[in-house]
Amino acid sequence: MKQTTVIRLKKVELDRPVLIEGLPGVGHVGKLVADHIVAELKAEKIMEIYSPHLPPQVLVQGDGTIRLVRNEVYAYRAKNGRDMLIIVGDHQSVTNEGHYELCGVFLDIAEEFGVERIYTIGGYGVGQLVETDSVLGACTGKEFVDELSGYGVEFRENEPGGGIVGISGVLLGLAKLRGIEAACLMGITSGYLVDPKSAQSVLKVLCKIFGLDLNMQALQDRAAEMEKIVAKLREMEQGQQPYESTTSEDDLRYIG
Amino acid sequence: MKQTTVIRLKKVELDRPVLIEGLPGVGHVGKLVADHIVAELKAEKIMEIYSPHLPPQVLVQGDGTIRLVRNEVYAYRAKNGRDMLIIVGDHQSVTNEGHYELCGVFLDIAEEFGVERIYTIGGYGVGQLVETDSVLGACTGKEFVDELSGYGVEFRENEPGGGIVGISGVLLGLAKLRGIEAACLMGITSGYLVDPKSAQSVLKVLCKIFGLDLNMQALQDRAAEMEKIVAKLREMEQGQQPYESTTSEDDLRYIG
Amino acid sequence: MKQTTVIRLKKVELDRPVLIEGLPGVGHVGKLVADHIVAELKAEKIMEIYSPHLPPQVLVQGDGTIRLVRNEVYAYRAKNGRDMLIIVGDHQSVTNEGHYELCGVFLDIAEEFGVERIYTIGGYGVGQLVETDSVLGACTGKEFVDELSGYGVEFRENEPGGGIVGISGVLLGLAKLRGIEAACLMGITSGYLVDPKSAQSVLKVLCKIFGLDLNMQALQDRAAEMEKIVAKLREMEQGQQPYESTTSEDDLRYIG
Amino acid sequence: MKQTTVIRLKKVELDRPVLIEGLPGVGHVGKLVADHIVAELKAEKIMEIYSPHLPPQVLVQGDGTIRLVRNEVYAYRAKNGRDMLIIVGDHQSVTNEGHYELCGVFLDIAEEFGVERIYTIGGYGVGQLVETDSVLGACTGKEFVDELSGYGVEFRENEPGGGIVGISGVLLGLAKLRGIEAACLMGITSGYLVDPKSAQSVLKVLCKIFGLDLNMQALQDRAAEMEKIVAKLREMEQGQQPYESTTSEDDLRYIG
């Protein structure tokens, strides 16, 4: 395989869908959000995308079967409300050029379905444990900024200072060049841990935007577990106490 | 040379062969197994594969002559039993894209010979010295999992947790996309040392599967030597004794 | 996007323009100089250049909108004096091959406009804080060396010893192969800090060469701020005093 | 520039020349030898080779002019004896694939001139200061090994253990695939310092092979200077004395 390859599993008709992208990144916020939407909306997988720019790796599933790492496109046909395309996956590109190439492939798909708006989801790592449900935004155009401000998305001057790196950034940038409106929603997170709480904050904003009423139990459960771990980490930090054996190995499986 | 190049040395007819791949990797388990099969079955080299994705390196042989690092395809025509194609070599790809490209080349060869099943061989590094003859498996499909379980191959939920990285993984993943059944057999090994004992465990499973009766003396001899080294390493570890001069340089040549 | 892409925003006629390149590099000298020229001459943006060899990143602007990292070409039509093309941008290539590819693109543009002379601007990092307004030069030909010597540009045997690495070097090298005269002007700088003072030194030389009378206030203001910081750094170095809280966070925003 | 580019400066007729390659590498042995041959034989430059796989860098020459890093081909027409093509240059490829690509280019040139034998020159780093004029060899074929043994070239089993990495290795390997005889001559060297003494050893062997009588003064002078430095380093090592100021900066310019 020398080229990025799109395998089409199913043909669907969608009415001017929005595209939501959530691949693994800072705090896994994007992946948590997009996976949750796919699960709750029972969206249907319509494409698999394989690429030599993804890691050379297969994943081993619970039943002993494998699958090559990939990105996937899911389709959701709304009864009332917005149709959606959702991009999820195991990894982002591991090469510099791969980010540009894969975003080009995603945008070709978006244009094929007449997508007019793209939402990319990520985490904004601030380097310390934080208690906030702020969601930071960045958009291709000023009206989109104003519109999202109305949903509580924050736009802070010079943040993120380093720009947005990786798929969520490049997809915005290349969408702008093709005249497609796009926004990145970033949950604020420490950047050290998988952060289902930050994912919830972003998801709430998306639900408001699309008038969706999604069950958040799964994310809440994971967030509750992470909070216990975070509480312990804080204790250890403050008391400089040695690692306590009461934190079971099981809890820690959620870190990283 | 800008492209992966296949040099065909000999034309052979094979009857629905299986393909076995064993290139250097964790514990060199794959390479030890595949090289042993080639030697014991007196399989015949039919192709050499050169690629700019292999290291830029020649090997110097005992007589002062060199050869470019490469992968090789051997053919075995069984009197009774299964015909085989065996892929061996000096190195795996050293670039990300190279893994995908070389696996594509291997699968083209597999399809040319009508291969229906592929076995990739690797080591599963657990990070500590272990005494086990367990062989871990991963397959493209559930029936294959069940079949291999019958030969004693273990399938453990969430193991290997990091998936299978490199040629043995990608070959499985891309085979699945082409509709070819494939399995990876992984000998459990520390990951620190060349492990002929772990290779023996995998080889025994393969012999059962194919009804082969291979002489294992060569691997046993190497395993015995490694065990002596391991025993000394254990001693040193436990007693925190300084390195003893009784471990000759000669012994250590087998490490790494 | 698999290829470097040039987006043409405006058609302009220029009379045998010179090309000035100033992208981020050592001390950001090149970028400071070229950005200042663009601002003071009110040069007009005529092209945007996007490339998979630039980092996979968008920048977030003050109003919450983003843009993909890029290089830009500005045109200046002189009332009297030299017409100019100025190349500025957010980043240099992050891949080895990308430097060669992007320089090829820049030279195609230069040839299209009949450019006969190219000036690339950079910093020459000497590894310690320096007080000098020396500008070091390197040229494609000896007559150009002599000519620039007349403007006070210094040519020192074996400096820079390591040659000129990156876009400012490769552009010179490839220009020579195409028969276009080119020079690199390097402001001497520590290499540790953004250096608007060094940029001013280079700018003064350029003004002499082109008979320009540019307002330098903006660079002077930044230089004055940096000098305060440098003074504090020197104090700390000499007195080995701990970091003083009187250096506000605000000051330090200019470093790096 | 997206492709390796060969610029032909002069057309020459050669009678079944040998090709000698000496690019920078371990101890700079190859470069010292090839540059010395070019200078002493007054060989003529006939080609320049530029490539995006070389570093993105120009070199600044004594008179302030620059040139892009490159490889060069020189031709020597012998009055009596062997015609020669000599490949010299500033750098080897800095990418993995570049080694394969550039060697392909070199071999195309070799075939164009009817080259039947290639000599690549390198250093064999042993990791400590050594006093030896041994030259280690490796060849594409056994007869060539025997022939070179007659000239005092040593062939040691399993040395170099790690094979030959880089241009000198790949050129041998790819030459073999094209049916061109090739040998690598390696001067034994510490690997820490530029080693003109080791270069002399290799040069003496080459002179014997080709019946040449080259003046070695230039290499002898550099070797004498290096010996003084090495002597001082040894002293410092044994006496664990602090660095003495009698080692002038000037001496050290020859290191590295």
Side-chain angles (χ1 to χ4, degrees):
Chain A
M1 178 184 278
K2 297 185 75 168
Q3 301 288 336
T4 296
T5 303
V6 179
I7 297 183
R8 285 156 193 270
L9 307 172
K10 188 145 190 189
K11 233 182 149 142
V12 290
E13 297 278 322
L14 297 176
D15 179 25
R16 288 170 310 123
V18 295
L19 175 68
I20 292 171
E21 171 272 327
L23 290 169
V26 179
H28 272 220
V29 174
K31 182 174 171 53
L32 287 170
V33 169
D35 284 355
H36 189 87
I37 293 175
V38 163
E40 290 298 322
L41 293 183
K42 295 185 178 53
E44 194 176 18
K45 185 159 66 171
I46 59 166
M47 296 179 192
E48 288 174 4
I49 301 171
Y50 298 90
S51 174
H53 297 287
L54 295 176
Q57 187 184 6
V58 292
L59 303 178
V60 182
Q61 297 164 125
D63 64 352
T65 64
I66 59 88
R67 62 180 190 74
L68 196 55
V69 294
R70 68 189 176 212
N71 292 178
E72 301 175 333
V73 183
Y74 282 80
Y76 167 66
R77 301 185 58 173
K79 265 142 230 142
N80 43 37
R82 271 292 200 177
D83 283 359
M84 284 181 184
L85 286 171
I86 305 135
I87 295 176
V88 299
D90 308 305
H91 283 278
Q92 296 194 19
S93 165
V94 287
T95 68
N96 191 72
E97 297 95 326
H99 282 293
Y100 285 87
E101 184 178 321
L102 279 161
C103 282
V105 169
F106 295 160
L107 288 173
D108 289 346
I109 294 168
E111 289 187 338
E112 178 186 331
F113 281 95
V115 164
E116 288 162 3
R117 279 207 166 165
I118 295 172
Y119 293 83
T120 71
I121 317 294
Y124 175 47
V126 292
Q128 51 187 5
L129 296 173
V130 281
E131 299 261 359
T132 173
D133 55 2
S134 289
V135 172
L136 215 61
C139 299
T140 48
K142 193 69 189 73
E143 298 97 72
F144 205 176
V145 170
D146 296 338
E147 187 183 325
L148 289 180
S149 296
Y151 291 106
V153 177
E154 294 179 29
F155 293 86
R156 300 183 190 162
E157 213 172 316
N158 294 319
E159 280 199 87
I164 306 168
V165 177
I167 194 81
S168 290
V170 177
L171 198 53
L172 243 64
L174 288 176
K176 190 172 183 176
L177 292 183
R178 297 206 196 188
I180 302 175
E181 288 193 327
C184 181
L185 301 179
M186 290 161 275
I188 290 178
T189 179
S190 70
Y192 301 141
L193 306 164
V194 169
D195 194 340
K197 192 143 182 263
S198 179
Q200 254 182 300
S201 305
V202 178
L203 197 55
K204 277 179 197 159
V205 169
L206 281 173
C207 284
K208 257 196 268 178
I209 295 174
F210 298 117
L212 283 172
D213 182 23
L214 291 188
N215 184 329
M216 301 222 179
Q217 200 55 50
L219 274 182
Q220 264 158 11
D221 292 351
R222 272 192 95 169
E225 282 186 82
M226 278 309 294
E227 289 219 352
K228 278 188 223 156
I229 296 172
V230 168
K232 275 177 195 155
L233 289 174
R234 271 191 207 278
E235 256 175 50
M236 281 162 59
E237 217 179 83
Q238 283 162 13
Q240 301 257 352
Q241 293 159 3
Y243 190 90
E244 285 177 37
S245 59
T246 53
T247 310
S248 78
E249 259 191 30
D250 218 55
D251 290 341
L252 288 170
R253 195 164 296 169
Y254 289 94
I255 304 185
Chain B
M1 178 184 278
K2 297 185 75 168
Q3 301 288 336
T4 296
T5 303
V6 179
I7 297 182
R8 286 156 191 271
L9 307 171
K10 189 148 190 188
K11 231 181 148 144
V12 291
E13 297 278 323
L14 297 175
D15 179 26
R16 288 171 308 124
V18 296
L19 174 68
I20 292 171
E21 171 272 327
L23 289 169
V26 179
H28 273 220
V29 173
K31 181 173 172 54
L32 287 169
V33 169
D35 284 354
H36 189 88
I37 292 175
V38 164
E40 289 300 322
L41 293 183
K42 296 184 177 53
E44 193 176 19
K45 184 159 68 172
I46 60 167
M47 295 178 192
E48 289 173 4
I49 300 171
Y50 298 90
S51 174
H53 296 288
L54 296 175
Q57 187 184 8
V58 292
L59 303 177
V60 182
Q61 298 164 124
D63 64 351
T65 64
I66 58 87
R67 60 180 191 75
L68 196 55
V69 295
R70 66 188 177 213
N71 291 178
E72 301 176 332
V73 184
Y74 282 80
Y76 168 65
R77 301 186 57 173
K79 265 142 231 145
N80 43 37
R82 271 293 199 174
D83 284 358
M84 285 181 183
L85 285 171
I86 305 135
I87 295 175
V88 299
D90 308 305
H91 283 279
Q92 296 193 19
S93 165
V94 287
T95 68
N96 191 73
E97 297 95 326
H99 283 293
Y100 285 87
E101 184 178 321
L102 279 161
C103 282
V105 169
F106 294 160
L107 288 172
D108 289 346
I109 294 169
E111 288 187 337
E112 178 187 328
F113 281 94
V115 165
E116 287 162 3
R117 279 206 167 166
I118 294 172
Y119 294 84
T120 71
I121 317 294
Y124 176 48
V126 292
Q128 52 187 6
L129 296 173
V130 282
E131 298 262 357
T132 172
D133 55 1
S134 289
V135 171
L136 215 62
C139 298
T140 47
K142 193 69 189 76
E143 298 97 73
F144 205 176
V145 169
D146 296 339
E147 187 183 324
L148 288 180
S149 297
Y151 290 106
V153 177
E154 295 179 29
F155 293 86
R156 300 182 191 162
E157 214 173 316
N158 293 320
E159 279 200 88
I164 306 169
V165 176
I167 193 82
S168 291
V170 176
L171 197 53
L172 242 64
L174 287 176
K176 190 172 184 176
L177 292 183
R178 296 207 197 185
I180 303 175
E181 288 192 327
C184 181
L185 300 178
M186 289 161 276
I188 290 177
T189 178
S190 70
Y192 301 141
L193 305 165
V194 169
D195 195 339
K197 193 146 182 260
S198 179
Q200 255 183 300
S201 305
V202 177
L203 196 55
K204 278 180 195 156
V205 169
L206 281 173
C207 284
K208 257 196 270 178
I209 294 173
F210 298 116
L212 284 172
D213 182 23
L214 292 187
N215 184 330
M216 301 224 179
Q217 201 55 49
L219 274 182
Q220 264 158 10
D221 292 352
R222 271 193 96 167
E225 283 187 80
M226 277 310 292
E227 291 220 349
K228 279 187 222 157
I229 296 172
V230 168
K232 276 176 195 155
L233 289 173
R234 272 192 205 279
E235 256 175 50
M236 283 161 57
E237 217 179 83
Q238 284 162 13
Q240 302 255 352
Q241 294 157 3
Y243 190 90
E244 286 177 37
S245 59
T246 53
T247 309
S248 79
E249 258 191 31
D250 218 57
D251 290 342
L252 289 170
R253 194 163 297 169
Y254 289 93
I255 304 183
Chain C
M1 179 184 277
K2 297 185 76 168
Q3 301 288 335
T4 296
T5 303
V6 178
I7 297 184
R8 285 157 193 270
L9 307 172
K10 188 145 190 189
K11 232 184 149 137
V12 289
E13 297 278 322
L14 297 175
D15 179 26
R16 287 169 311 124
V18 295
L19 175 68
I20 292 171
E21 171 272 326
L23 289 168
V26 178
H28 273 220
V29 174
K31 182 174 172 54
L32 287 170
V33 169
D35 284 355
H36 189 87
I37 293 175
V38 163
E40 290 299 320
L41 293 183
K42 296 187 176 52
E44 195 176 17
K45 185 158 69 169
I46 59 166
M47 295 180 192
E48 289 174 4
I49 301 171
Y50 298 91
S51 174
H53 296 288
L54 294 176
Q57 187 183 5
V58 291
L59 302 178
V60 182
Q61 297 164 125
D63 64 351
T65 63
I66 59 88
R67 61 180 191 74
L68 196 54
V69 294
R70 67 190 175 212
N71 292 177
E72 301 175 332
V73 184
Y74 281 80
Y76 168 65
R77 302 185 59 173
K79 266 142 230 146
N80 43 37
R82 271 291 200 177
D83 284 358
M84 285 182 184
L85 285 170
I86 305 136
I87 295 176
V88 300
D90 308 305
H91 283 278
Q92 295 194 20
S93 165
V94 287
T95 68
N96 191 73
E97 297 95 325
H99 283 294
Y100 285 88
E101 184 178 320
L102 279 161
C103 282
V105 169
F106 294 159
L107 288 172
D108 289 346
I109 294 168
E111 289 187 337
E112 178 187 330
F113 281 94
V115 164
E116 288 162 3
R117 279 208 166 163
I118 294 171
Y119 293 84
T120 70
I121 316 295
Y124 176 47
V126 292
Q128 51 186 5
L129 296 174
V130 280
E131 300 261 359
T132 173
D133 54 2
S134 289
V135 171
L136 216 60
C139 298
T140 48
K142 193 70 188 73
E143 298 98 71
F144 205 176
V145 169
D146 296 339
E147 188 184 324
L148 288 180
S149 297
Y151 291 106
V153 176
E154 294 179 30
F155 293 86
R156 300 183 190 162
E157 215 174 315
N158 293 318
E159 281 198 87
I164 306 168
V165 176
I167 194 80
S168 290
V170 176
L171 196 54
L172 243 63
L174 288 176
K176 190 173 183 176
L177 292 182
R178 297 208 195 184
I180 302 175
E181 288 193 328
C184 182
L185 300 180
M186 290 160 275
I188 291 178
T189 178
S190 69
Y192 301 141
L193 305 165
V194 169
D195 194 340
K197 193 144 181 263
S198 180
Q200 254 182 299
S201 306
V202 177
L203 196 55
K204 278 178 197 160
V205 170
L206 282 172
C207 284
K208 257 195 270 177
I209 295 174
F210 298 116
L212 285 172
D213 182 23
L214 291 187
N215 184 330
M216 301 222 179
Q217 200 56 50
L219 275 182
Q220 263 159 11
D221 292 351
R222 272 193 94 169
E225 283 187 80
M226 278 308 294
E227 289 219 352
K228 279 187 222 156
I229 296 171
V230 168
K232 275 176 196 155
L233 289 173
R234 269 191 208 280
E235 256 175 51
M236 283 160 60
E237 216 178 84
Q238 282 162 13
Q240 302 256 351
Q241 295 158 1
Y243 190 90
E244 286 177 37
S245 58
T246 53
T247 310
S248 78
E249 258 191 29
D250 217 56
D251 290 340
L252 288 170
R253 196 163 295 168
Y254 289 94
I255 303 185
Chain D
M1 178 184 278
K2 298 185 75 167
Q3 300 288 335
T4 297
T5 302
V6 179
I7 297 183
R8 286 155 192 271
L9 308 172
K10 187 145 191 189
K11 232 183 149 140
V12 290
E13 297 279 322
L14 298 175
D15 179 26
R16 288 171 308 124
V18 296
L19 175 68
I20 293 172
E21 171 273 326
L23 289 169
V26 179
H28 273 220
V29 174
K31 181 173 172 53
L32 287 170
V33 169
D35 283 354
H36 189 87
I37 293 175
V38 164
E40 290 299 322
L41 294 183
K42 297 187 176 52
E44 194 176 17
K45 185 159 67 170
I46 59 166
M47 294 179 193
E48 288 174 3
I49 301 170
Y50 298 90
S51 173
H53 297 288
L54 295 176
Q57 187 183 7
V58 292
L59 302 178
V60 182
Q61 297 164 124
D63 64 352
T65 64
I66 59 88
R67 60 179 191 74
L68 196 55
V69 294
R70 66 190 177 212
N71 291 178
E72 302 175 331
V73 184
Y74 282 80
Y76 167 65
R77 302 185 58 171
K79 265 142 229 145
N80 43 39
R82 271 292 200 174
D83 283 357
M84 286 182 182
L85 285 171
I86 306 136
I87 295 175
V88 299
D90 308 305
H91 283 278
Q92 296 194 19
S93 165
V94 287
T95 68
N96 191 72
E97 297 96 325
H99 283 294
Y100 284 87
E101 184 179 320
L102 279 161
C103 282
V105 169
F106 295 159
L107 289 172
D108 289 346
I109 294 168
E111 288 186 337
E112 178 186 329
F113 281 93
V115 164
E116 288 162 3
R117 279 206 168 165
I118 294 171
Y119 293 84
T120 70
I121 317 295
Y124 175 48
V126 293
Q128 51 186 7
L129 296 173
V130 282
E131 300 260 358
T132 173
D133 55 2
S134 290
V135 172
L136 216 61
C139 298
T140 48
K142 193 69 188 75
E143 299 98 71
F144 205 176
V145 169
D146 296 339
E147 188 184 324
L148 288 180
S149 297
Y151 290 106
V153 176
E154 294 179 30
F155 293 86
R156 300 183 191 162
E157 215 173 316
N158 294 320
E159 281 199 88
I164 305 168
V165 177
I167 193 82
S168 290
V170 176
L171 196 54
L172 242 64
L174 287 176
K176 190 173 183 176
L177 293 182
R178 297 207 196 185
I180 303 175
E181 288 192 327
C184 182
L185 299 180
M186 290 160 276
I188 292 177
T189 179
S190 68
Y192 303 139
L193 306 164
V194 169
D195 195 339
K197 193 146 182 259
S198 180
Q200 255 182 300
S201 305
V202 177
L203 196 55
K204 278 180 195 158
V205 169
L206 281 172
C207 284
K208 259 196 267 177
I209 295 173
F210 298 115
L212 285 172
D213 183 23
L214 291 187
N215 185 330
M216 301 221 178
Q217 201 56 49
L219 275 181
Q220 263 159 11
D221 292 351
R222 273 193 93 168
E225 283 187 80
M226 279 307 295
E227 291 220 349
K228 279 188 221 156
I229 296 171
V230 167
K232 276 176 195 155
L233 290 173
R234 271 191 207 279
E235 257 175 51
M236 282 160 59
E237 216 179 84
Q238 283 161 12
Q240 303 255 353
Q241 295 158 0
Y243 190 90
E244 286 178 35
S245 59
T246 53
T247 309
S248 78
E249 260 192 27
D250 217 57
D251 290 343
L252 288 170
R253 194 163 296 168
Y254 290 94
I255 304 184

